[in-house]
Amino acid sequence: MVIHPTITNTVYVAVEQSGLYRTTDGGDYWEQVMYSGAAHIGFVDVWPADPTVIFFAGQDGLYRSEHGGDVGSW
């Protein structure tokens, strides 16, 4: 799990065998932004120098979004 460094209502959570989820309202609504059926999740992180860049890693690879993790941007 990682909290966006400047927009604290935005949180990313990596879930094994499901993928990456994001909330932009502090947790009231969650959306799946990246599917991964990986049994092991390595990490999710926001690049500090450019918080629109999100990294997600699992046993099936390393993914990068340059659009805040929007669906289809991986």
Side-chain angles (χ1 to χ4, degrees), residues 47-74:
W47 189 254
D50 182 358
T52 63
V53 178
I54 313 298
F55 292 95
F56 171 72
Q59 74 185 41
D60 58 343
L62 175 64
Y63 299 91
R64 174 183 169 143
S65 168
E66 295 182 355
H67 301 282
D70 289 343
V71 175
S73 69
W74 297 91

